[in-house]
Amino acid sequence: VVGAGPAGLEAARALGQRGYEVHLSEADRELGGRVLKEGRLPGLAEWVRVRDWRVGQIEKMSTVTVYRESPITVDEVLEFGAERVVLATGAHWRRDGRGRANGSGVLGLGAIALTPDDVMEGRVPTGHVVIFDDDAFYMGSLMAEAVGRAGGTATIVTPDDVVASWSANSLDFRHLQKRLYSLGVAQLTAHNIIEAGAGGLQLAHVWSGVRQDLACDAVVCVTSRTPHDALEKALVDRQDEWQAAGVLDVRCIGDALAPGLIAHAVYAGHRY
């Protein structure tokens, strides 16, 4: 199992519980992947229990071996001799604006924007920061809160008619709105970014098309995520070597296959 995020941890735990010999390889020192990173955001500390319980269960199992600080290459996978390879390598947030409202990205945005990954790794921008939220769930609001806690001023710009519209389905909408208003976060709804530059953004109202400029010091792009599937592609390219290496099956799971919620990643690991 390559990757010890929510999908990889649950796959290793469930396989170990069933008596399989499991080897779990994680590139970082700490286990948890996105759970660990998102758990550092405002109000999400309890989410780390998703990792803690699974690590606690794995530590009791003699059938599961964990390799920390062990990024793994295609050659190492083939040399290892595992019959089945599970790739739970996760995903990363895009910085080019590509998402539901902008299928080809936003001109100039990739050159200047930060992402939630940057913020979760401690690179929190200051000054007037625009959060471009085309995700419509909790992450945009958390980015605005992180900016506010760091002393900056945040404006959420979203092509949707309300901020965090999908959070109505999880009953978080009212709670998120209360937090945003208590922090003084400005909300500019029904606006898309047409072009980005060093001095700010050019916006367009999604219904009328009326354009306006918005000056800012930084942009955090919360749009979509791209799977880390390079290892899978490299293994597929060398599929003619699998039989000699004893490999019967290679499969991507969780965010490495289709980015979703942490709950989706855990389910994917358990289903495997």
Side-chain angles (χ1 to χ4, degrees):
V1 181
V2 183
L9 285 172
E10 176 59 17
R13 185 207 66 78
L15 289 165
Q17 184 184 48
R18 286 159 176 78
Y20 289 92
E21 178 188 347
V22 183
H23 299 267
L24 176 61
S25 174
E26 168 56 42
D28 294 330
R29 178 63 187 168
E30 292 186 273
L31 308 180
R34 65 177 288 195
V35 170
L36 191 63
K37 294 178 180 179
E38 293 190 26
R40 298 187 181 118
L41 291 172
L44 298 189
E46 287 295 320
W47 286 21
V48 179
R49 73 184 188 278
V50 174
R51 177 204 64 170
D52 290 348
W53 182 80
R54 286 166 179 81
V55 171
Q57 296 301 307
I58 287 171
E59 288 175 345
K60 301 174 185 178
M61 299 178 183
S62 60
T63 54
V64 181
T65 303
V66 178
Y67 305 87
R68 299 170 184 259
E69 295 179 297
S70 298
I72 193 165
T73 66
V74 62
D75 288 329
E76 290 167 334
V77 170
L78 294 173
E79 292 168 3
F80 198 86
E83 294 176 336
R84 301 187 183 276
V85 180
V86 189
L87 303 176
T89 43
H92 65 273
W93 285 94
R94 300 184 68 100
R95 65 181 73 246
D96 59 2
R98 184 174 178 179
R100 291 181 298 177
N102 302 285
S104 300
V106 176
L107 181 64
L109 189 59
I112 64 170
L114 298 170
T115 70
D117 293 319
D118 295 316
V119 174
M120 287 186 283
E121 290 170 5
R123 297 189 292 275
V124 184
T126 56
H128 178 215
V129 181
V130 168
I131 314 297
F132 180 51
D133 183 13
D134 196 21
D135 178 59
F137 199 21
Y138 62 88
M139 188 57 73
S141 302
L142 290 175
M143 292 298 100
E145 188 163 347
V147 167
R149 291 191 175 195
T153 302
T155 296
I156 296 180
V157 174
T158 179
D160 213 340
D161 287 327
V162 294
V163 168
S165 61
W166 207 90
S167 66
N169 297 309
S170 59
L171 305 183
D172 292 314
F173 181 79
R174 293 178 178 273
H175 302 288
L176 290 176
Q177 285 292 345
K178 286 180 180 179
R179 290 173 76 97
L180 292 175
Y181 277 103
S182 69
L183 292 167
V185 175
Q187 302 182 31
L188 186 57
T189 60
H191 278 78
N192 195 13
I193 301 178
I194 302 303
E195 186 175 351
L201 309 170
Q202 184 179 62
L203 309 179
H205 191 271
V206 297
W207 302 120
S208 68
V210 174
R211 298 196 175 193
Q212 70 177 79
D213 293 326
L214 179 62
C216 61
D217 299 303
V219 182
V220 178
C221 189
V222 187
T223 55
S224 62
R225 287 180 290 152
T226 297
H228 293 154
D229 55 5
L231 183 56
E232 181 204 23
K233 291 178 179 178
L235 283 165
V236 169
D237 287 342
R238 295 172 62 176
Q239 192 166 358
D240 57 344
E241 301 176 42
W242 289 10
Q243 185 175 2
V247 176
L248 301 177
D249 179 62
V250 174
R251 198 178 309 178
C252 261
I253 65 170
D255 288 341
L257 177 65
L261 302 180
I262 289 174
H264 298 149
V266 172
Y267 176 78
H270 194 82
R271 184 183 184 190
Y272 181 88

